[in-house]
């Protein structure tokens, strides 16, 4: 498979003001209308329609309003936002500014992953430059619209990538997810209406404003429009960040990155699902395989139980610890994996754990707990043979 | 004549309505509850379907509140009526049509017509998993636990028919029990991380001793740097104990030592009982909240083997004499003698939780605290001096026990300065719960007992002393006496009931005007004395901050650390909520109303002790035995 550069958006030409100069002449309603029509969905993983999020924030009564960029890229195997932040941050800042104009906010905050501290200087430099040339700050491009962006560093907790935990962290509190509703669009940062979008999501905005919703909708599948950045890693020859249109299949990607003897692919990071060969033809799209930002490839030399253990250990450590299903549940799943390793896990117990994992998906308080059992469920289901064929298995 | 004035700021009114609706919200989201949307009931009704039954509920209620109003049971655990919501235990999850995940009934506000299922298969299974997960990480030796049969986790396990622990069970303790504090004992092995204690300490009381530390499976409720409770800013109020669903928090129990003293024939064991336990202990014997059992309790205490049973109301009256006199002296020093060393406002000092709170957080106002000891400590001091002399008993043989609604009293009686009698003034502080346990252990059924009186002297207390148990009571008692001392007339309130200082509003204010005063109080002619009452240290904080910022001025302020005052103390029966506290308050006020003696300065036994021993209030001897000093402590 060859990359079709016509279907690339983020890696295409851009100069400051590309979308902003147009957006500043539009009414907020018009911007939101374009965003809704484009059907752009959040690139952080959950895929919520961006236009609707902006609309809800614009409609909220309370002021001030905030535009928050979730740059807490913490999903294992995901490094696509890093590229955008280090090399293409002007697009992000412009997207945030347009969001500000659309919802009536004058303040943007980038919540930058603690481990990306090294990017801080560079980003501040870009912000300063944009301020200097009038693309940020007071009276942007003489439009009368004020907007500025501040960068705040996280401290390394995975949970702070969850939007409400991120807001808690921004406010100086312990990173713990809030109850929803109320949603950030009504009560976010400091209790005010807040748009929280991923780095990648904001970066599409100037293009959509410049080229229009219809142009954007030409790329992708029926329910997933546009392109997507994929961080591809694992047993591949050419790991890296790729921009591909929605609808691309795993098999096509494997070919593109030079993967051989692939046994399993983890789609969407640790919180995503692990698929086996039988699903390699499925397209990557919200309606099929929700891609998140990461594709991790495992070849036939990998022990899937070890893979699973690695993911669960991650969640046991990174659960914020507030709600019971996530805090205790992941720990019990890890215990079960260790039992499987020792050949001490009975089929019956595994069935109980499967039900527990299912229950965690709809009982946990936030997205972390709701998605943490995905790896367990998909690996146990898709690689059952391999896992149960381990030595010293106890059957009852 | 007199002018009473109840000012209520907007904020306080909101506080009141928040409490009435049980919609306590936190602003700092330490509990993870979020930004705390202000919820107001507009009276608008919404049709919701709960389990196929269509109901009209108030818009703005949570599902849990709405269901409970309609007698639909939804189990809950981390939810507590007094606290802001957390939504973290996930026990109260329900199914809402159209929602992908289950939602917690305690957090979900009804603002549109929804269809709810409270016990579908999905819901039941989810709850069972949640409970099993909690039990798997809980050192649940129920039969050797002080919360046995009064444990919310145990009750839920029973309700959900949990008959196996599929995820295992903790069989040996993993943590050391923290018994460093005289007041509060912490056992992390029993903690299920519902964070009620954190929300109590941080949001309700604004003390901030407990916080969540670490992440994931390592999450713990922890003190600052995991220091022992005795070494942190804990004020010993024990409100966390009253709200803990398990026994992760309990009071430091001296029952064994008390039994030993009773069993020792060489000891004379004397108990004083405070009014609040008497209005609450019945709850532990199946009586409804608000049943006062004072005289039955006297019988029970004698059956247990206490040699003498006295009434703390007696020293409450003594406190009023001392504190009232001190107040008038302070006012005179400030107004007439312009003495800069003497401070106003004067704060009450009978609440040991408040005293320690001030010592930690506001050392700069310690000179504003009345120097009077609390009634408990005054009692101890006179038992081992005046009473010992009068009855010819060696004070070394006297063991003094105090029945208190309070955990902070345990710390107070162990303060090094509380030895003015030459001995430890009060040997042991027992909570209501601990005494109930002793009574049960002795096989006594309290409600069935015949009534008996207190011993005398020191067994007569006025209604003024009695109402110390409720927030505002000390202020009311003091006003009944001070006003009469100054003017020679009774307080100008119908039936002596000073209503502006009563109730459960967090902060209450009033102005009392002194007119036609006696010649010796001429300096008070026409004076408007401003008073305030606050309960809960978070509200004490508001008042002190107002004063320190120069915005608020009062002459006399009553502070009680616990919501509701002593009747809501950290040693009282569990559970607690506003309804229960109000019932206890009613019991106390109606007992006061029924008494002939309702003013401290008219108590003949008080007049007797001044005549025989102290001479007059604030005399040298009174200062030696009945007054104390305070210790500035760090904030960290």
């Amino acid at each position: 498979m060859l990359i079709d550069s016509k279907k690339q958006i983020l890696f295409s030409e851009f100069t400051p003001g590309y979308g902003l100069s147009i957006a500043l002449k539009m009414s907020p309603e018009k911007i939101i209308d374009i965003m809704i029509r484009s059907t752009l969905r959040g690139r952080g993983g959950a895929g919520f329609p961006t236009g609707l999020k902006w609309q809800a924030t614009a409609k909220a009564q309370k002021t001030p309003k905030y535009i928050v960029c979730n740059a807490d890229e913490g999903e294992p195997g995901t490094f696509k936002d890093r590229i955008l932040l280090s090399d293409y941050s002007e697009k992000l800042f412009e997207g945030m500014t347009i969001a500000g104009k659309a919802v009536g906010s004058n303040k943007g905050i980038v919540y930058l992953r603690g481990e990306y501290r090294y990017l801080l200087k560079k980003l501040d430099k870009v912000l300063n430059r944009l301020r200097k040339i009038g693309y940020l700050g007071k009276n942007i491009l003489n439009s009368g619209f004020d907007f500025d962006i501040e960068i705040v560093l996280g401290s390394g907790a995975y949970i702070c990538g969850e939007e409400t935990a991120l807001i808690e962290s921004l406010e100086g509190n312990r990173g713990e997810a809030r109850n929803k509703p109320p949603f950030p669009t009504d009560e976010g940062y400091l209790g005010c209406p807040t748009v929280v979008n991923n780095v990648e999501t904001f970066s599409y905005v100037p293009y959509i404003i410049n080229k229009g919703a219809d142009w954007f909708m030409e790329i992708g599948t029926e329910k997933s429009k546009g392109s997507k950045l994929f961080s591809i890693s694992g047993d591949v020859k050419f790991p890296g960040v790729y921009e591909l249109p929605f609808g691309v299949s795993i098999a096509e990607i494997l070919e593109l990155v030079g993967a051989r003897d692939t046994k399993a692919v983890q789609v969407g990071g640790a919180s995503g699902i692990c698929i086996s060969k039988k699903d390699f033809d499925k397209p990557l799209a919200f309606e099929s395989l929700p891609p998140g930002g990461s594709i991790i490839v495992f070849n036939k030399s990998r022990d899937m139980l070890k893979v699973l253990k690695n993911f669960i250990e991650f969640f046991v450590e990174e659960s914020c610890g507030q709600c019971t299903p996530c805090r205790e549940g992941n720990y019990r799943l890890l215990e079960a994996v260790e039992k499987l390793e020792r050949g001490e896990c009975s089929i019956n117990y595994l069935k109980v754990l499967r039900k527990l994992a299912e229950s965690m998906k709809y009982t946990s308080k936030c997205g972390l707990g709701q998605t943490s059992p995905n790896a367990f469920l998909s690996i146990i289901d898709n690689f059952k043979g391999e896992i149960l064929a381990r030595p010293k298995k106890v059957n009852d | 004549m007199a002018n009473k004035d109840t000012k209520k700021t907007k904020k306080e009114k909101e506080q009141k309505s928040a409490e009435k609706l049980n919609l306590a919200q936190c602003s700092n989201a330490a509990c993870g509850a979020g930004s705390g949307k202000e919820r107001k009931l507009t009276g608008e009704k919404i049709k919701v379907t709960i389990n196929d039954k269509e109901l009209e509920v108030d818009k703005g209620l949570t599902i849990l509140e709405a269901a409970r109003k309609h007698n639909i049971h939804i189990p809950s655990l981390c939810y507590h009526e007094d606290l802001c919501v957390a939504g973290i235990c996930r026990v109260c999850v329900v199914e809402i049509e159209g929602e992908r995940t289950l939602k917690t009934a305690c957090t979900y506000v009804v603002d549109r017509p929804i269809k709810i299922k409270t016990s579908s298969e999905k819901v039941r299974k989810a709850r069972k998993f949640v409970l099993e997960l909690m039990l798997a990480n809980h050192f649940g030796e129920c039969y050797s636990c002080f919360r046995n049969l009064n444990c919310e986790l145990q009750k839920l396990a029973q309700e959900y028919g949990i008959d196996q622990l599929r995820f295992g069970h903790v069989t040996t303790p993993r943590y050391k029990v923290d018994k460093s504090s005289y007041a509060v004992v912490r056992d992390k092995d029993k903690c299920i991380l519902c964070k009620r204690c954190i929300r109590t300490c941080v949001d309700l009381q604004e003390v901030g001793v407990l916080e969540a530390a670490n992440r994931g499976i390592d999450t713990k409720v922890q003190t600052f740097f995991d220091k022992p409770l005795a070494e942190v800013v804990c004020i010993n109020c024990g409100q966390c104990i009253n709200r803990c669903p398990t026994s992760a928090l309990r009071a430091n129990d001296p029952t064994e030592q008390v039994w030993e003293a009773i069993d020792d024939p060489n000891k004379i064991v004397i108990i004083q009982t405070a009014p609040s336990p008497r209005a609450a202990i019945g709850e532990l014997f199946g009586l409804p909240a608000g049943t006062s059992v004072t005289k039955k309790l006297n019988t029970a205490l004698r059956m247990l083997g206490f040699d003498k049973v006295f009434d703390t109301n007696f020293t409450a009256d003594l406190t009023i004499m001392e504190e009232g006199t001190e107040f008038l002296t302070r006012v005179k020093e400030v107004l007439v003698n312009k003495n800069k060393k003497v401070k106003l406002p004067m704060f009450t000092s009978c609440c040991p939780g408040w005293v320690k709170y001030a010592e930690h957080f506001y050392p700069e106002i310690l000179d504003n605290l009345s120097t009077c000891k609390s009634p408990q400590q005054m009692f101890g001091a006179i038992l081992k001096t005046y009473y010992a002399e009068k009855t010819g008993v060696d004070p070394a043989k006297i063991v003094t026990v105090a029945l208190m609604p309070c955990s902070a009293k345990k710390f107070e009686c162990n303060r090094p300065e509380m030895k003015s009698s030459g001995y430890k003034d009060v040997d042991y502080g027992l909570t209501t719960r601990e005494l109930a346990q002793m009574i049960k252990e002795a096989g006594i059924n309290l409600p069935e007992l015949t009534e008996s009186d207190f011993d005398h002297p020191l067994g007569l207390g006025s209604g003024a002393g009695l109402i110390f148990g409720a927030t505002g009571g000390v202020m009311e008692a003091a006003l009944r006496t001070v006003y009469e001392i100054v003017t020679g007339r009774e307080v100008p309130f119908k039936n002596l009931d000073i209503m502006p200082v009563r109730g459960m509003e967090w902060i209450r204010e009033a102005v009392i005007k002194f007119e036609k005063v006696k010649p010796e109080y001429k300096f008070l002619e026409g004076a408007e004395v401003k008073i305030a009452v606050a309960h809960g240290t978070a509200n004490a904080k508001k008042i002190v901050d107002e004063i320190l910022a120069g915005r608020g001025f009062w002459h006399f302020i009553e502070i009680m650390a616990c919501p509701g005052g002593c009747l809501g103390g950290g040693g009282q029966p569990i559970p607690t909520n506003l309804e229960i506290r109000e019932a206890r308050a009613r019991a106390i006020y109606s007992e006061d109303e029924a008494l002939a003696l309702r003013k401290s300065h008219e108590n003949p036994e008080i007049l007797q002790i001044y005549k025989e021993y102290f001479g007059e209030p604030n005399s040298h001897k009174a200062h030696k035995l009945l007054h104390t000093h305070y210790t500035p402590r760090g904030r960290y």
Side-chain angles (χ1 to χ4, degrees):
Chain A
M1 179 198 162
L2 285 173
I3 296 175
D4 180 357
S5 63
K6 280 183 197 154
K7 290 186 177 171
Q8 288 195 323
I9 299 171
L10 295 179
F11 292 162
S12 70
E13 200 191 330
F14 178 87
T15 48
Y18 191 78
L20 183 60
S21 51
I22 301 169
L24 288 174
K25 288 172 195 150
M26 291 177 177
S27 68
E29 295 76 27
K30 174 82 182 157
I31 300 172
I32 289 171
D33 179 58
I34 295 173
M35 292 307 296
I36 290 175
R37 279 198 297 115
S38 76
T39 70
L40 173 69
R41 294 173 71 166
R43 297 317 201 225
F48 190 83
T50 306
L52 294 180
K53 197 181 261 185
W54 291 15
Q55 190 177 46
T57 311
K59 277 185 181 165
Q61 297 293 320
K62 213 171 159 187
T63 53
K65 296 175 184 180
Y66 294 96
I67 305 295
V68 172
C69 170
N70 185 346
D72 190 59
E73 184 173 48
E75 191 65 51
T78 312
F79 39 89
K80 55 160 185 99
D81 292 343
R82 192 174 64 191
I83 299 271
L84 292 173
L85 289 162
S86 80
D87 298 347
Y88 303 98
S89 59
E90 285 174 351
K91 304 176 188 187
L92 157 68
F93 297 145
E94 190 160 323
M96 289 175 73
T97 311
I98 294 170
K101 166 86 181 170
V103 306
S105 160
N106 305 107
K107 166 101 180 154
I109 302 167
V110 176
Y111 185 86
L112 187 66
R113 182 182 183 193
E115 289 87 339
Y116 288 175
R117 177 186 284 274
Y118 74 97
L119 290 171
L120 189 60
K121 258 191 180 167
K122 200 171 176 182
L123 290 167
D124 270 331
K125 238 176 159 176
V126 176
L127 286 175
N128 276 330
R129 198 164 53 86
L130 290 173
R131 281 183 199 117
K132 238 182 194 167
I133 58 172
Y135 286 82
L136 264 185
K138 295 259 174 234
N139 192 19
I140 295 172
L141 299 176
N142 289 320
S143 64
F145 174 63
D146 303 339
F147 192 81
D148 212 335
I149 294 172
E150 178 195 359
I151 299 173
V152 177
L153 271 174
S155 301
Y158 173 71
I159 180 63
C160 292
E162 196 280 339
E163 58 177 3
T164 58
L166 184 155
I167 290 168
E168 284 289 300
S169 174
L170 269 184
E171 290 180 7
N173 300 324
R174 188 179 150 86
E176 287 182 346
R178 293 177 177 176
N179 296 300
K180 291 196 262 190
F183 294 94
T185 48
D186 285 319
E187 285 176 51
Y189 180 56
L190 303 176
C192 298
T194 305
V195 166
V196 185
N197 276 140
N198 174 262
V199 174
E200 189 184 341
T201 315
F202 278 125
S203 301
Y204 286 104
V205 173
Y207 291 99
I208 294 171
I209 296 297
N210 184 299
K211 296 193 171 174
D214 295 336
W215 163 82
F216 185 75
M217 290 178 75
E218 279 168 21
I219 307 167
T221 67
E222 199 194 329
K223 286 185 177 162
S224 310
K225 296 298 182 191
S227 59
K228 175 86 193 77
L229 292 189
F230 296 97
S231 329
I232 303 173
S233 62
D235 298 319
V236 300
K237 216 170 168 184
F238 312 110
V241 177
Y242 292 78
E243 182 176 4
L244 300 168
F246 272 116
V248 61
S249 75
I250 294 290
E252 284 172 308
I253 288 183
L254 291 175
E255 191 200 331
L256 181 73
V257 298
R260 291 240 177 101
D261 296 327
T262 303
K263 173 161 78 178
V265 177
Q266 178 80 12
V267 184
S271 64
I273 59 166
C274 194
I275 58 168
S276 62
K277 261 188 186 132
K278 68 176 166 50
D279 292 323
F280 284 180
D281 287 331
K282 279 194 178 166
L284 285 162
F286 289 110
E287 62 270 32
S288 162
L289 277 177
S294 130
I295 305 277
I296 308 172
V297 179
F298 302 99
N299 70 18
K300 65 177 183 187
S301 71
R302 305 293 171 183
D303 177 345
M304 291 317 287
L305 197 61
K306 273 192 183 160
V307 169
L308 174 58
K309 191 180 176 187
N310 188 296
F311 286 140
I312 297 184
E313 277 173 341
F314 176 79
F315 287 120
V316 167
E317 192 175 318
E318 291 296 340
S319 158
C320 80
Q322 65 167 328
C323 85
T324 316
C326 178
R327 179 187 67 239
E328 306 289 338
N330 278 306
Y331 180 69
R332 298 302 156 192
L333 296 186
L334 178 62
E335 251 186 7
V337 170
E338 286 167 347
K339 278 184 181 171
L340 281 166
E341 266 183 339
R342 296 194 300 268
E344 288 169 4
C345 186
S346 72
I347 301 278
N348 269 347
Y349 189 56
L350 200 57
K351 277 185 190 161
V352 172
L353 266 297
R354 230 202 142 280
K355 282 185 190 156
L356 169 67
E358 280 293 344
S359 166
M360 285 163 66
K361 284 171 77 169
Y362 50 79
T363 317
S364 297
K365 183 170 177 179
C366 79
L368 195 167
Q370 288 160 12
T371 55
S372 62
N374 284 346
F376 180 87
L377 287 167
S378 57
I379 291 179
I380 293 291
D381 289 353
N382 291 334
F383 302 93
K384 203 172 202 163
E386 177 186 330
I387 283 164
L388 293 179
R390 297 175 71 85
K392 259 180 46 182
K393 182 173 53 143
V394 182
N395 279 313
D396 64 356
Chain B
M1 287 283 290
N3 166 26
K4 61 172 177 166
D5 181 10
T6 53
K7 276 188 232 157
K8 288 168 203 158
T9 63
K10 195 174 160 238
K11 212 169 181 186
E12 285 148 23
K13 274 183 186 163
E14 279 167 13
Q15 268 174 356
K16 186 186 180 183
S17 61
E19 199 193 32
K20 280 273 186 293
L21 283 166
N22 298 327
L23 300 183
Q25 297 282 2
C26 69
S27 52
N28 65 3
C31 55
S35 51
K37 194 175 187 174
E38 182 96 7
R39 284 184 297 149
K40 287 191 192 103
L41 302 190
T42 54
E44 193 184 332
K45 301 277 182 187
I46 282 191
K47 273 192 184 144
V48 300
T49 312
I50 303 184
N51 304 335
D52 299 324
K53 202 171 146 195
E54 204 167 271
L55 300 168
E56 284 218 324
V57 308
D58 281 305
K59 182 180 176 176
L61 287 182
T62 62
I63 293 175
L64 189 66
E65 290 159 349
R68 287 189 179 170
K69 256 192 169 173
H70 288 90
N71 288 323
I72 296 166
H73 174 67
I74 297 175
S76 65
L77 192 57
C78 72
Y79 171 82
H80 192 285
E81 287 159 82
D82 291 335
L83 305 174
C84 52
V85 292
I88 55 175
C89 74
R90 317 306 284 178
V91 165
C92 70
V93 287
V94 294
E95 204 173 337
I96 298 171
E97 202 177 272
E99 295 277 6
R100 183 176 53 87
T101 57
L102 300 179
K103 297 288 173 191
T104 38
C106 70
T107 65
Y108 201 100
V109 177
V110 180
D111 57 359
R112 64 195 156 87
I114 45 175
K115 285 186 178 166
I116 305 160
K117 283 190 174 138
T118 66
S119 65
S120 63
E121 190 195 355
K122 204 173 177 182
V123 166
R124 285 194 321 270
K125 285 191 171 161
R127 285 183 192 153
K128 208 164 176 171
F129 269 128
V130 164
L131 288 169
E132 271 190 81
L133 287 172
M134 274 181 194
L135 290 165
N137 209 353
H138 170 78
F139 179 50
E141 302 290 293
C142 293
Y143 40 81
S144 59
C145 177
F146 102 101
R147 290 294 292 273
N148 192 13
L149 303 182
N150 184 21
C151 167
E152 294 179 48
L153 181 65
Q154 189 188 45
K155 202 174 151 212
L156 283 169
Q158 195 259 353
E159 193 174 313
Y160 276 79
I162 293 187
D163 54 0
Q164 54 174 338
L165 296 162
R166 290 179 291 183
F167 308 120
H169 176 48
V170 181
T171 50
T172 46
R174 300 156 295 178
Y175 308 100
K176 200 171 164 247
V177 177
D178 179 3
K179 290 184 180 169
S180 64
S181 157
Y182 285 116
V184 182
V185 175
R186 268 191 80 215
D187 184 356
K188 287 184 198 168
D189 259 316
K190 311 275 179 165
C191 177
I192 51 166
L193 294 167
C194 69
K195 296 196 187 171
R196 280 190 193 170
C197 55
I198 296 177
R199 285 175 282 152
T200 303
C201 197
V202 174
D203 300 305
L204 183 70
Q205 292 290 69
E206 292 189 24
V207 175
V209 163
L210 299 172
E211 249 309 351
N214 307 328
R215 258 189 341 226
I217 196 69
D218 299 321
T219 309
K220 296 279 174 297
V221 173
Q222 211 164 285
T223 55
F224 186 59
F225 280 122
D226 210 12
K227 285 185 181 184
L229 267 180
E231 292 171 27
V232 293
V233 296
C234 175
I235 63 163
N236 305 312
C237 68
Q239 289 302 303
C240 53
I241 300 174
N242 287 8
R243 290 173 183 79
C244 179
T246 69
S247 65
L249 288 152
R250 58 189 145 95
N252 205 336
D253 185 354
T255 308
E256 272 315 305
Q257 290 97 302
V258 174
W259 277 125
E260 255 173 53
I262 288 174
D263 293 340
D264 185 341
N266 293 317
K267 299 285 185 196
I268 297 158
V269 188
I270 302 176
I271 190 164
Q272 50 163 315
T273 73
S276 288
R278 303 179 324 217
I281 198 167
E283 294 164 33
L284 296 168
F285 292 87
L287 297 174
T291 314
S292 205
V293 292
T294 309
K295 291 190 169 178
K296 287 181 177 177
L297 189 63
N298 289 343
T299 311
L301 291 168
R302 291 193 177 97
M303 287 168 79
L304 285 179
F306 286 100
D307 296 300
K308 294 285 173 195
V309 182
F310 289 132
D311 190 347
T312 309
N313 296 356
F314 170 78
T315 37
D317 286 335
L318 195 59
T319 303
I320 290 301
M321 299 306 287
E322 292 295 319
E323 198 164 325
T325 309
E326 180 188 349
F327 175 66
L328 290 172
T329 310
R330 280 188 188 234
V331 173
K332 191 173 181 185
E333 282 299 307
V334 171
L335 292 182
V336 183
N337 300 336
K338 312 284 180 203
N339 186 342
K340 295 262 188 265
K341 280 185 187 160
V342 175
K343 298 278 165 57
L344 281 178
M346 185 177 89
F347 287 95
T348 57
S349 59
C350 32
C351 170
W354 154 239
V355 167
K356 193 154 182 271
Y357 183 83
E359 287 179 332
H360 279 300
F361 297 97
Y362 295 104
E364 62 269 44
I365 64 154
L366 291 180
D367 286 342
N368 293 66
L369 263 62
S370 161
T371 58
C372 289
K373 284 181 184 173
S374 69
Q376 162 179 293
Q377 291 308 123
M378 286 194 183
F379 221 122
I382 60 173
L383 280 175
K384 291 191 182 181
T385 54
Y386 168 73
Y387 182 79
E389 282 169 37
K390 196 176 166 77
T391 51
V393 181
D394 177 5
K397 285 186 172 176
I398 297 180
V399 175
T400 49
V401 180
L403 170 64
M404 292 289 147
C406 183
S407 47
K409 289 279 172 197
K410 293 169 187 282
F411 173 83
E412 185 187 31
C413 76
N414 282 296
R415 279 176 176 261
E417 64 269 26
M418 293 297 179
K419 285 179 181 152
S420 48
S421 62
Y423 302 88
K424 194 179 169 197
D425 292 341
V426 173
D427 290 291
Y428 305 110
L430 274 182
T431 63
T432 313
R433 297 186 297 264
E434 287 152 3
L435 182 71
Q437 184 58 45
M438 288 178 76
I439 294 173
K440 284 180 184 172
E441 200 177 334
I444 299 166
N445 186 10
L446 183 67
E448 282 179 356
L449 297 183
T450 52
E451 300 190 336
S452 66
D453 227 329
F454 286 103
D455 288 300
H456 293 282
L458 318 184
L460 185 63
S462 75
L466 177 80
I467 58 174
F468 265 51
T471 166
V474 178
M475 182 58 73
E476 182 166 348
L479 290 176
R480 284 182 193 173
T481 290
V482 168
Y483 191 87
E484 203 162 323
I485 288 177
V486 172
T487 65
R489 300 182 306 276
E490 286 191 342
V491 278
F493 289 91
K494 195 186 161 205
N495 201 21
L496 294 176
D497 296 341
I498 308 180
M499 298 313 280
V501 299
R502 294 189 185 181
M504 289 293 169
E505 247 177 285
W506 289 121
I507 295 172
R508 306 184 293 282
E509 294 176 83
V511 177
I512 308 288
K513 196 169 183 182
F514 288 89
E515 284 171 323
K516 295 183 196 156
V517 299
K518 286 189 189 168
E520 59 266 43
Y521 293 101
K522 215 168 172 195
F523 63 96
L524 278 175
E525 182 61 42
E528 289 189 342
V529 174
K530 293 179 78 179
I531 56 162
V533 171
H535 56 134
T537 42
N539 304 298
K541 187 175 176 216
K542 284 188 189 109
I543 286 200
V544 179
D545 286 344
E546 283 290 298
I547 293 168
L548 293 180
R551 285 190 299 264
F553 184 81
W554 297 273
H555 296 92
F556 191 11
I557 300 166
E558 180 206 294
I559 307 275
M560 293 292 157
C562 294
C566 304
L567 54 86
Q572 290 284 65
I574 301 167
T576 185
N577 59 36
L578 183 61
E579 200 182 317
I580 291 172
R581 293 193 290 274
E582 282 180 335
R584 290 174 190 162
R586 278 196 299 276
I588 286 174
Y589 282 118
S590 54
E591 222 182 314
D592 164 45
E593 218 180 300
L595 287 176
L597 177 62
R598 297 184 64 204
K599 298 178 221 158
S600 301
H601 57 279
E602 288 177 356
N603 181 341
E605 291 186 2
I606 289 288
L607 300 176
Q608 188 187 352
I609 199 171
Y610 276 113
K611 197 171 151 205
E612 289 178 8
Y613 200 67
F614 289 118
E616 55 184 12
N618 290 191
S619 68
H620 181 70
K621 207 169 194 175
H623 260 287
K624 184 173 172 286
L625 288 178
L626 308 179
H627 290 252
T628 186
H629 58 273
Y630 307 106
T631 315
R633 297 170 199 263
R635 282 188 189 205
Y636 306 103

